[in-house]
C-alpha cells in the first residue's frame, strides 16, 4: 500500500508518537517522490534475534540487534485500521533522534517551530505489513482504504493494488507488504542517522520473510457485552453516576480524549455538531477527559471545550477507569453503550468523524430490532 496512505490512516494512533506531550499526530502524511534508497540486502541471523509479537494483528517479528540497539528510535505500530473490521497494520518507523533528545524536547515548555520541524521531519517508514481477513483480497483492501480516505475528506486517493506485494494467506487472512517509495524526510536525516536508517532498511526484506504469520486475534477481545459502572464528576464538579448518565439515552458514545492530543481537540467542534444531530433520536455523546487529573489540566480542558463550542457532558477520571476504557490502541477512542451501560459495539479508535454517526445508528438499529 502506498506509504502516504498508510501513514495518513495511522496518524491518529498514540503509539505513533514517541512523546506523549507532542500527541499522536507525530506521523504526518508525507510526499512520496522518488524511489526508495537502494541498500544491499542483509540477512537476519535467526540465532541472534529478539521476538516482537503482535497477536492482535497476527504477526511475530524477529529483530536483529541493529533494531533493538539503535541510536535513533525504532518504533512499531500495530493496529486494526478499521476498528474491528479486520484490516490490520504492523509498521516499523525510524526517528533520526536519540531518546534523550526527544525527552529533552518533551520537557520544554516552549518548543520552537524549528525544533518541531526537526522532530516531525526526521521520521520515516522502515517497512509496513498490512492484512485483510474474511477471505478478502487486495482489491477489497484498496477499496476500504480509499473509502476511509473519503471519510477523512482526503483528496489524494492514491492507494492501488500495485502498491501491495502478497506475503502469505493464513486461514482467511491475507498479508501484504507495502512497496515503499522514498520519503522526503530521508534528506533531513543527519549523516549518522541516515547511515543507521539504511542499515535498518537493508534488513526489512529478511525480517518480513522470516516473520511468523497467523490468524489475528483482533483488538478489544471480549469487550462487547461488558457492562460499565462508575461514579465520578463532570468537568464542572457535579456528581455523575454511570447508570443515571446512560439511562438518559438509548445509545451513548463515550469519547475518551486528552488535552495533549491534537487529533482529539481538532474533532471537538464536529463532535458537538454530531451530538446536536443525534439528540433527536435519543442518542448522545459524552466526553471523557482522560488526563483530567489536576486542576490545571481540567481548566485547560474546559478552555478547549469552550473554544470548540461543546455543550455536551464531559466527565473526569475515576479510580480504575483505565481498566474499563481500553486506550491501548490509541487516542481518542470512542465506546458505544446502551441505556444499561453495556458496550454493544467495537470501540472506534482515532478521530474518525466520518464513522461516528453510522456507528451510532448501527448500534441503535441493533437494539431496536
Amino acid at each position: 500500500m502506498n506509504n502516504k496512505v498508510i501513514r495518513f490512516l495511522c496518524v491518529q494512533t498514540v503509539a505513533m508518537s514517541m512523546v506523549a506531550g507532542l500527541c499522536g499526530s507525530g506521523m504526518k502524511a508525507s510526499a512520496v517522490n522518488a524511489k526508495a534508497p537502494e541498500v544491499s540486502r542483509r540477512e537476519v541471523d535467526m540465532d541472534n534475534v529478539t521476538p516482537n509479537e503482535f497477536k492482535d494483528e497476527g504477526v511475530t517479528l524477529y529483530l536483529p540487534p541493529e533494531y533493538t540497539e539503535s541510536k535513533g528510535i525504532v518504533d512499531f505500530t500495530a493496529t486494526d485500521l478499521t476498528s474491528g473490521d479486520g484490516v490490520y497494520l504492523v509498521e516499523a518507523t525510524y526517528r533520526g533522534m536519540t531518546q534523550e533528545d526527544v525527552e529533552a524536547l518533551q520537557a520544554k515548555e516552549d518548543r520552537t517551530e524549528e525544533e518541531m520541524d526537526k522532530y516531525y521531519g526526521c521520521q520515516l517508514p522502515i517497512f509496513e505489513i498490512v492484512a485483510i481477513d474474511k477471505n478478502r483480497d487486495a482489491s477489497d483492501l484498496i477499496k476500504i482504504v480509499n473509502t476511509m480516505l473519503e471519510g477523512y475528506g482526503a483528496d489524494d486517493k492514491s492507494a492501488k493494488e500495485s502498491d501491495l506485494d502478497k506475503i502469505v494467506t493464513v486461514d482467511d487472512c491475507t498479508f501484504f507488504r507495502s512497496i515503499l517509495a522514498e520519503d522526503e524526510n530521508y534528506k533531513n536525516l543527519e549523516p549518522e542517522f541516515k547511515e543507521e536508517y539504511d542499515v535498518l532498511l537493508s534488513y526489512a526484506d529478511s525480517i518480513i520473510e522470516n516473520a511468523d504469520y497467523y490468524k489475528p486475534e483482533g483488538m478489544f477481545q471480549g469487550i462487547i457485552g461488558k457492562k460499565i459502572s462508575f461514579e465520578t464528576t463532570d468537568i464542572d464538579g457535579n456528581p455523575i453516576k454511570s447508570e443515571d448518565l446512560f439511562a438518559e439515552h438509548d445509545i451513548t458514545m463515550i469519547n475518551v480524549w486528552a488535552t495533549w492530543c491534537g487529533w482529539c481537540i481538532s474533532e471537538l467542534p464536529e463532535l458537538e455538531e454530531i451530538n446536536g444531530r443525534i439528540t433527536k433520536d435519543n442518542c448522545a455523546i459524552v466526553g471523557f477527559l482522560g488526563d483530567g487529573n489536576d486542576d490545571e489540566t481540567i481548566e485547560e480542558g474546559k478552555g478547549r471545550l469552550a473554544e470548540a463550542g461543546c455543550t455536551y457532558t464531559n466527565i473526569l477520571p475515576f479510580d480504575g477507569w483505565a481498566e474499563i476504557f481500553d486506550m491501548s490502541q490509541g487516542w481518542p477512542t470512542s465506546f458505544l453503550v446502551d441505556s444499561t451501560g453495556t458496550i454493544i459495539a467495537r470501540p472506534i479508535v482515532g478521530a474518525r468523524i466520518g464513522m461516528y454517526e453510522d456507528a451510532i445508528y448501527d448500534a441503535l438499529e441493533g437494539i431496536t430490532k
Side-chain angles (χ1 to χ4, degrees):
M1 185 175 298
N2 189 291
N3 175 46
K4 178 166 46 178
V5 174
I6 283 289
R7 284 158 66 88
F8 184 88
L9 290 175
C10 293
V11 73
Q12 323 293 340
T13 56
V14 72
M16 307 190 78
S17 173
M18 270 27 91
V19 184
L22 300 180
C23 185
S25 57
M27 298 276 303
K28 299 192 293 184
S30 58
V32 176
N33 54 11
K35 65 179 181 179
E38 292 186 5
V39 294
S40 298
R41 173 180 168 130
R42 287 177 170 86
E43 298 295 332
V44 174
D45 177 4
M46 294 301 290
D47 293 325
N48 186 27
V49 293
T50 300
N52 201 347
E53 193 173 59
F54 303 102
K55 289 185 177 181
D56 288 354
E57 293 73 29
V59 178
T60 297
L61 304 174
Y62 297 96
L63 305 175
E66 287 82 357
Y67 274 68
T68 57
E69 301 171 7
S70 60
K71 181 176 181 179
I73 298 171
V74 178
D75 187 52
F76 292 89
T77 296
T79 188
D80 182 334
L81 295 174
T82 47
S83 291
D85 194 32
V87 177
Y88 305 97
L89 165 74
V90 175
E91 177 184 55
T93 60
Y94 179 74
R95 189 180 297 280
M97 295 175 68
T98 66
Q99 185 63 43
E100 292 74 16
D101 288 339
V102 170
E103 290 174 355
L105 182 60
Q106 178 186 19
K108 295 186 67 172
E109 292 186 4
D110 297 315
R111 306 178 186 101
T112 67
E113 183 176 348
E114 182 179 0
E115 288 172 329
M116 296 308 297
D117 285 344
K118 179 180 180 181
Y119 175 80
Y120 290 123
C122 68
Q123 186 163 353
L124 303 92
I126 306 173
F127 61 81
E128 293 164 343
I129 299 169
V130 287
I132 186 167
D133 63 12
K134 303 174 185 174
N135 293 312
R136 293 173 291 180
D137 58 17
S139 63
D140 296 313
L141 179 54
I142 295 304
K143 288 176 184 176
I144 290 171
V145 169
N146 284 332
T147 298
M148 292 176 70
L149 288 173
E150 285 183 2
Y152 279 115
D155 295 328
D156 184 1
K157 296 185 294 181
S158 57
K160 52 189 181 296
E161 289 187 50
S162 59
D163 294 324
L164 299 174
D165 186 11
K166 181 178 176 180
I167 303 170
V168 67
T169 297
V170 180
D171 293 334
D172 68 346
C173 189
T174 301
F175 296 82
F176 302 89
R177 72 167 297 171
S178 302
I179 300 173
L180 299 181
E182 182 183 13
D183 191 295
E184 65 177 2
N185 284 349
Y186 183 73
K187 68 179 183 296
N188 299 330
L189 294 179
E190 296 174 2
E192 62 178 325
F193 292 115
K194 184 175 290 186
E195 181 179 352
E196 182 172 66
Y197 174 74
D198 288 346
V199 170
L200 296 172
L201 198 63
S202 70
Y203 279 109
D205 288 344
S206 185
I207 290 172
I208 291 172
E209 290 169 10
N210 286 288
D212 291 334
Y213 300 95
Y214 42 90
K215 176 73 173 177
E217 293 183 2
M219 61 185 185
F220 301 118
Q221 289 296 310
I223 198 169
I224 296 176
K226 180 179 178 180
K227 189 169 183 179
I228 295 175
S229 180
F230 57 82
E231 292 187 18
T232 186
T233 66
D234 66 19
I235 202 166
D236 295 314
N238 302 305
I240 295 287
K241 288 186 177 182
S242 59
E243 55 263 36
D244 297 333
L245 181 66
F246 300 140
E248 293 178 0
H249 299 96
D250 292 328
I251 300 293
T252 300
M253 187 181 87
I254 309 157
N255 177 255
V256 185
W257 65 289
T259 59
W260 51 260
C261 172
W263 284 97
C264 302
I265 293 166
S266 68
E267 71 171 357
L268 291 176
E270 291 168 287
L271 288 175
E272 172 68 18
E273 294 178 5
I274 292 172
N275 187 63
R277 292 195 291 269
I278 65 177
T279 299
K280 63 179 174 48
D281 295 305
N282 202 34
C283 300
I285 292 174
V286 169
F288 186 104
L289 184 59
D291 65 337
N293 298 304
D294 58 81
D295 291 342
E296 182 179 356
T297 305
I298 292 171
E299 287 304 313
E300 182 180 353
K302 287 182 180 180
R304 296 292 190 182
L305 292 167
E307 290 173 6
C310 292
T311 60
Y312 57 85
T313 299
N314 269 263
I315 60 178
L316 297 178
F318 50 87
D319 289 343
W321 76 267
E323 298 175 6
I324 294 177
F325 299 117
D326 180 359
M327 299 302 293
S328 63
Q329 301 296 322
W331 293 67
T333 295
S334 298
F335 300 81
L336 294 162
V337 302
D338 64 14
S339 60
T340 71
T342 301
I343 297 176
I344 58 174
R346 287 186 180 272
I348 303 170
V349 180
R352 304 289 183 91
I353 289 297
M355 295 177 62
Y356 292 145
E357 280 181 270
D358 286 344
I360 289 168
Y361 282 112
D362 285 347
L364 183 63
E365 182 180 356
I367 66 171
T368 56
K369 283 184 178 178

